[in-house]
Structure formats: C-alpha cells, structure tokens
C-alpha cells in the first residue's frame, strides 16, 4: 500500500523503498520485508532513515548467511531507530519524503499520458 516501506532481506541487503500510489495492490517477493508505519506522520521519516547510508549500515550489521546474505524481520526490528529531539526537523524530513513519493505518482501518470499519446497519435 502507498507509503509502506519495503526493505530487501536477502542478497543485496537493506535497500529501502517507499511504495508509491501506483504500486497499490501489487505483490512483492518473499525477499522483501514490509514495514507498515503506524501513521503517515512517521512513514517518510522511517523511509529516509532506512534509505540513508547510516540506516543501511545498521541493517546490514545483523547479516547472516554463508553464501547469500540474509536478514529477518526480528533483526530489522532491533535496528536502533533515532527519534530526533527536534520534532520540527523530523516532520520536515517526513513531509519532504511523502511529497516526493506523491510526485513520483504524478510523474508516473504523466509518463502514462505521454505513452498513450505516442501509442495513439504517433505509432497508429
């Protein structure tokens, strides 16, 4: 669902993505851990932290596996997560991330419109 956070759990570990609106209803593989934020007031902040170099390194330090690196949901849930004393900064980070995600959906719609024009007016 929109604003859910996805984190890769095997192979290339710790890659985070925030789900844009046009992914609603899609299915992800079992190699992804799904994080359902308690509200949109924190969803963007969680995503930005996990997508940062620092967040990714904290996720990776719980790696196990001899050939293919793995992490599970329990290990991910034990990653220390910083809550800022400055709540305004946290809200700004959150708002910018969610705005970016909304614009990703708008860009998707514009791209689809361009593809339809190409298909209907140029190719045929």
């Amino acid at each position: 669902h929109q604003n859910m956070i996805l984190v890769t759990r095997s192979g290339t570990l710790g890659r985070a993505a925030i789900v844009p609106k046009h992914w609603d209803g899609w299915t992800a593989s079992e190699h992804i851990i799904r994080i359902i934020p308690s509200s949109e007031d924190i969803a963007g902040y969680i995503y930005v932290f996990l997508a940062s170099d620092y967040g990714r390194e904290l996720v990776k330090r719980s790696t196990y596996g001899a050939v293919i690196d793995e992490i599970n949901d329990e290990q991910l849930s034990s990653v220390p997560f910083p809550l800022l004393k400055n709540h305004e900064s946290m809200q700004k980070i959150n708002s910018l991330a969610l705005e970016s995600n909304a614009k990703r959906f708008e860009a998707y719609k514009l791209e689809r419109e361009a593809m339809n024009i190409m298909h209907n007016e140029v190719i045929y």
Side-chain angles (χ1 to χ4, degrees), residues 5-8 13-17 35 45-63 71 75-82:
I5 294 105
L6 309 176
V7 180
T8 55
L13 279 182
R15 304 288 294 187
I35 299 171
Y45 181 77
I46 293 170
Y47 162 68
V48 169
F49 172 71
L50 290 173
S52 73
D53 292 340
Y54 184 70
R56 192 170 20 257
E57 286 305 315
L58 287 174
V59 169
K60 288 169 136 181
R61 77 177 180 184
S62 297
T63 301
I71 189 169
Q75 291 165 315
L76 183 58
S77 69
S78 71
V79 169
F81 191 83

Side-chain angles (χ1 to χ4, degrees), residues 21-22 104-114 116:
K21 187 174 182 176
H22 58 281
R104 207 170 279 117
F105 175 61
E106 293 303 315
Y108 168 79
K109 290 191 311 188
L110 292 171
E111 181 182 50
R112 297 303 324 155
E113 182 180 341
N116 285 334

Side-chain angles (χ1 to χ4, degrees), residues 14-124:
R15 304 288 294 187
I18 189 166
V19 175
K21 187 174 182 176
H22 58 281
W23 287 5
D24 265 357
W26 286 22
T27 299
S29 84
E30 70 277 2
H31 296 282
I32 295 173
I33 297 172
R34 294 148 189 85
I35 299 171
I36 303 169
S38 59
S39 75
E40 288 197 3
D41 293 337
I42 193 81
Y45 181 77
I46 293 170
Y47 162 68
V48 169
F49 172 71
L50 290 173
S52 73
D53 292 340
Y54 184 70
R56 192 170 20 257
E57 286 305 315
L58 287 174
V59 169
K60 288 169 136 181
R61 77 177 180 184
S62 297
T63 301
Y64 67 92
V67 177
I68 297 174
D69 290 339
E70 300 275 343
I71 189 169
N72 62 38
D73 57 339
E74 287 180 28
Q75 291 165 315
L76 183 58
S77 69
S78 71
V79 169
F81 191 83
L83 296 176
L84 304 180
K85 289 180 182 177
N86 184 337
H87 292 282
E88 289 177 17
S89 291
M90 276 183 61
Q91 284 306 311
K92 178 145 180 117
I93 292 167
N94 186 67
S95 295
L96 289 171
L98 295 182
E99 181 181 349
S100 171
N101 198 32
K103 288 182 178 186
R104 207 170 279 117
F105 175 61
E106 293 303 315
Y108 168 79
K109 290 191 311 188
L110 292 171
E111 181 182 50
R112 297 303 324 155
E113 182 180 341
M115 295 294 270
N116 285 334
I117 293 169
M118 177 65 73
H119 180 76
N120 295 328
E121 297 179 21
V122 176
I123 295 176
Y124 290 102

